[in-house]
Amino acid sequence: MTILVTGSAGFIGANFVLDWLAINDEPVISLDKLTYAGNLQNLASLESDERHTFVHGDIGDGDLVDRLLAEYRPRAVLNFAAESHVDRSIRGPEDFIQTNIVGTFRLLESVRAYWNSLPDADKSAFRFLHVSTDEVYGSLGSNDPAFKESNKYEPNSPYSASKAASDHLVRAYHHTYGLPVLTTNCSNNYGPYHFPEKLIPLVIHNALAGKPLPIYGDGQQIRDWLYVKDHCSAIRRVLDAGQLGETYNVGGWNEKANIDVVHTLCDILDQEKPKTDGRSYREQITFVKDRPGHDRRYAIDASRLERELGWKPAETFETGIRKTVRWYLDNQDWVANVTSGAYREWVGKQYA
Ligand SMILES: NC(=O)c1ccc[n+]([C@@H]2O[C@H](COP(=O)([O-])OP(=O)(O)OC[C@H]3O[C@@H](n4cnc5c(N)ncnc54)[C@H](O)[C@@H]3O)[C@@H](O)[C@H]2O)c1
């Protein structure tokens, strides 16, 4: 048995593959285009692990995906591949449309053809799991109940609109063609290997570098935060036991305003890596002009996943965020390679 994981060199995909192979021996075929967000160093510990095969390529390359499916005959495909940064989607939506919509469509087409070719037993055991986001549901008012799976889709950024479109395609492939699909919609993740363009790793990096800690608007935007390894355990649980064609919200029951997250990071850094002048990292906080169309609040109701599949996060925000800060402090080489761009050269050498 084998699984195919797309987007495996990114933040969540890499954590998923590392955790998967740490807890079982089922081989993984990794497919990643290695965009700026894909970092093969995230998977460096698997370099000589024969259970892991890395393939450099695009989910939208039908010939390549057809070949991989025919050769490795996976029992499941997990789709993490995406353009994922809202700010980038505002500056240039094109890549988001190409990968998140067209790419997912092409991947679904290849998977559908492969699935149709399987013998009956393999066909009924097969799963296509699509990893998506809570951002498809739009923005909540401060007293609104948290997003349920039944909330209507109201995406507000090109990123969330492209993810919403991909979710709809996945759903349609189940209803139209019977493809055995599962979709997860998760809140904001944090943890190891997070590209330092996103809030938490950016703040840790800038704090240590003595740079300003930029906060959009008034910093009162509320997000639900989930430690990435809890997201990975939820995906494994949905893959094992999810009901076909259904969607599952994944969240940490940890609603926090951005400014509070940044204060927490500064306080942990003050303890773990105090500045030589005795001042607090909080003094580096700088408020900047808000992002256009910035969603005010996301909150996830993950009770279905808990009730039906018995999943619960293992970390609270307090335990997960401290682990995360420690990981960044212990892995400054990784951060330096990413921020200097050296990780791209490393990829170049790998593929010379
Ligand atoms: N980060 C979060 O907080 C969060 C929360 C909920 C859902 N998600 C979803 O989880 C998935 C993974 O997110 P992430 O934070 O790890 O993103 P990421 O940007 O860190 O990684 C994405 C990976 O996909 C690869 N990729 C991009 N286009 C590709 C293509 N056309 N073909 C193959 N590979 C391609 C990139 O090289 C990169 O390795 C995304 O679908 C995202 O929408 C993320």
Side-chain angles (χ1 to χ4, degrees), residues 96-166:
F96 290 73
I97 306 306
Q98 277 310 326
T99 283
N100 299 0
I101 306 180
V102 180
T104 303
F105 158 68
R106 298 238 182 271
L107 180 64
L108 281 166
E109 279 293 89
S110 292
V111 168
R112 179 165 77 94
Y114 165 69
W115 176 70
N116 273 323
S117 75
L118 292 173
D120 283 349
D122 294 349
K123 209 172 167 184
S124 58
F126 183 82
R127 298 288 181 268
F128 179 88
L129 191 149
H130 181 61
V131 179
S132 192
T133 166
D134 60 354
E135 301 196 25
V136 297
Y137 297 120
S139 186
L140 291 170
S142 47
N143 295 318
D144 291 339
F147 300 128
K148 284 185 180 295
E149 289 81 356
S150 53
N151 271 65
K152 73 175 174 185
Y153 273 30
E154 290 183 329
N156 290 325
S157 71
Y159 163 65
S160 53
S162 66
K163 290 297 291 185
S166 67

Side-chain angles (χ1 to χ4, degrees), residues 10-12 32-33 35 38 58-59 84 99 132 159 163 187 189:
F11 165 46
I12 307 174
D32 198 294
K33 188 178 172 181
T35 67
D58 193 323
I59 56 166
S84 71
T99 283
S132 192
Y159 163 65
K163 290 297 291 185
S187 57
N189 284 212

Side-chain angles (χ1 to χ4, degrees), residues 48-238:
S48 52
D49 190 325
E50 57 192 24
R51 298 169 304 164
H52 182 244
T53 306
F54 181 79
V55 180
H56 183 196
D58 193 323
I59 56 166
D61 180 346
D63 291 343
L64 171 66
V65 177
D66 290 348
R67 273 205 312 279
L68 292 178
L69 293 170
E71 183 177 347
Y72 294 104
R73 308 194 66 73
R75 59 132 179 143
V77 173
L78 291 93
N79 184 30
F80 294 80
E83 288 293 336
S84 71
H85 191 40
V86 176
D87 287 343
R88 286 179 188 260
S89 83
I90 294 169
R91 278 206 304 277
E94 178 82 32
D95 289 346
F96 290 73
I97 306 306
Q98 277 310 326
T99 283
N100 299 0
I101 306 180
V102 180
T104 303
F105 158 68
R106 298 238 182 271
L107 180 64
L108 281 166
E109 279 293 89
S110 292
V111 168
R112 179 165 77 94
Y114 165 69
W115 176 70
N116 273 323
S117 75
L118 292 173
D120 283 349
D122 294 349
K123 209 172 167 184
S124 58
F126 183 82
R127 298 288 181 268
F128 179 88
L129 191 149
H130 181 61
V131 179
S132 192
T133 166
D134 60 354
E135 301 196 25
V136 297
Y137 297 120
S139 186
L140 291 170
S142 47
N143 295 318
D144 291 339
F147 300 128
K148 284 185 180 295
E149 289 81 356
S150 53
N151 271 65
K152 73 175 174 185
Y153 273 30
E154 290 183 329
N156 290 325
S157 71
Y159 163 65
S160 53
S162 66
K163 290 297 291 185
S166 67
D167 293 8
H168 289 321
L169 282 169
V170 170
R171 177 188 160 87
Y173 271 62
H174 176 70
H175 286 273
T176 306
Y177 305 113
L179 194 69
V181 307
L182 299 156
T183 298
T184 54
N185 293 89
C186 188
S187 57
N188 277 27
N189 284 212
Y190 64 95
Y193 305 109
H194 206 180
F195 198 83
E197 64 181 353
K198 308 271 171 81
L199 181 70
I200 288 178
L202 179 79
V203 165
I204 299 172
H205 174 65
N206 281 13
L208 295 173
K211 292 184 185 163
L213 311 181
I215 309 283
Y216 278 136
D218 60 4
Q220 291 301 328
Q221 305 86 0
I222 293 176
R223 303 289 181 261
D224 173 80
W225 293 94
L226 182 68
Y227 190 58
V228 63
K229 289 178 182 301
D230 280 327
H231 187 187
C232 296
S233 76
I235 291 170
R236 293 194 299 273
R237 186 68 197 128
V238 172

